[in-house]
Every structure is written in C-alpha cells, then in structure tokens.
Amino acid sequence: MNSEIANTNVGFNVLKGSVDFLNIVLNNINSCVLLLDKDLNLRAFNDALKTIFSNKKNENLLYRKCGEAIGCAYQIEENKECGTTSKCNYCDLKASALKSYLNDEVVYKEHISKPFFDNNNRKVEKHLQFSTRLFYFEREKYIIMIIEDITRFIELEQKISRSLQEE
C-alpha cells in the first residue's frame, strides 16, 4: 500500500466499495468492536464479542443493551435491564460511552475490572481495556466501543508482583 496514502488517513478509501472485505477485516480483529446507538443498544458487533464475552452463544444480541450482550454479572444476578442495576451508575463502560456520545469526547485505553458470566454460566472476573468514540453515519450519532480482554496480562503482572514481594 502506498505509505503516502496511509499517512494521510485515507488509506482505506480504496476499499470503500468492498463491504465484504471490511466485514472480514472487522471479524478478524481480536478485540471486540461494538457499535452502540443513542440508547446504548448494540447495533452491530464483530465475532470477537461472542468469543470473549457472550454468555449466550447463539442468542441474537442486536438491540440489546451493552451489559446484557457482554454478560455483565450485575445485570444477570439482579435480573434487571442493563442501565438499571445497583451498579450501573458506577460502570465505567457506560459512563465512557455516554461521555463520547454527549460530549464528543474520545476515551482511550481506560481499564475496568468487573465480573461477567461466561458461556458455561460461571462468574469470572475480567480485566478490560476499552476505548470509545462518537461518529456520525447517515445523520445519526453512534458510539464505537473497542474492548480488549487483558485479564491474562493483569493476572500475570499480579503474580510477578507477589513473587517479588516474597523475595
């Protein structure tokens, strides 16, 4: 690819007529890519969502609230809609999405640790790194949220730290 084109941030314009290619690229990204609407409902997602988060493998996740789609333990345990649990007012994912939507503020590589239910219905603590950004498409506002599961790295870091303290 011509590096001059890529450096001007128009490198993907050559692919604008290839929806299939862009879908393949998105579905092969290891991070979850979520597209949320003004109500924080899931409008689109890549395959990584069901690999990393979904506690319901074959369930239709479109138009669900973000926490419901990713298996938030609080939403499941309290049996309430995402956004209405006792913990939702303290959720950094929700706050960052709203910050991006309302203030056009970019949130970049923030961290959060919270419990989720996996596809074996086990409660697991996950450490996440996430970013959010507002964008417009066909005169509508959307939030793109990219989530990476960094649990392995955090647990390894904690293990190393403990072993260093023991020395």
Side-chain angles (χ1 to χ4, degrees):
M1 184 178 286
N2 182 337
S3 63
E4 188 174 307
I5 290 174
N7 287 335
T8 61
N9 204 22
V10 294
F12 284 104
N13 278 347
V14 297
L15 303 173
K16 68 181 174 185
S18 180
V19 174
D20 291 337
F21 181 82
L22 290 176
N23 280 328
I24 290 168
V25 168
L26 278 172
N27 281 320
N28 281 285
I29 293 173
N30 290 327
S31 302
C32 291
V33 179
L34 309 176
L35 178 65
L36 305 171
D37 65 16
K38 64 181 172 51
D39 298 317
L40 303 185
N41 289 322
L42 188 61
R43 298 294 299 270
F45 58 91
N46 67 343
D47 289 347
L49 171 67
K50 289 193 174 191
T51 304
I52 296 173
F53 290 106
S54 185
N55 61 320
K56 301 168 182 117
K57 274 287 190 207
N58 296 312
E59 185 174 353
N60 184 4
L61 299 174
L62 289 180
Y63 301 102
R64 294 274 178 111
K65 296 285 186 188
C66 180
E68 294 169 16
I70 62 177
C72 172
Y74 305 126
Q75 180 269 320
I76 293 169
E77 289 174 338
E78 293 183 24
N79 196 26
K80 292 184 175 180
E81 184 178 285
C82 174
T84 64
T85 75
S86 63
K87 304 288 186 183
C88 288
N89 287 337
Y90 310 103
C91 178
D92 288 338
L93 290 173
K94 177 185 172 188
S96 295
L98 289 172
K99 197 182 301 185
S100 289
Y101 189 86
L102 297 172
N103 304 329
D104 194 8
E105 189 174 324
V106 175
V107 174
Y108 184 65
K109 290 191 175 185
E110 293 291 325
H111 291 184
I112 187 174
S113 297
K114 63 185 283 178
F116 294 88
F117 278 93
D118 67 11
N119 50 10
N120 294 318
N121 209 28
R122 289 179 307 194
K123 188 175 178 179
V124 293
E125 185 78 13
K126 288 193 181 246
H127 302 274
L128 309 175
Q129 178 173 278
F130 64 94
S131 301
T132 61
R133 176 183 294 258
L134 174 72
F135 73 96
Y136 293 88
F137 180 70
E138 295 180 351
R139 291 188 258 167
E140 294 288 330
K141 290 167 59 171
Y142 295 95
I143 304 134
I144 188 163
M145 180 181 285
I146 299 174
I147 305 173
E148 299 170 289
D149 184 354
I150 58 169
T151 303
R152 275 188 340 177
F153 302 111
I154 298 296
E155 289 174 349
L156 183 59
E157 192 176 72
Q158 291 170 345
K159 191 176 191 179
I160 291 170
S161 178
R162 281 192 301 271
S163 68
L164 289 175
Q165 289 175 355
E166 291 172 1
E167 290 180 1

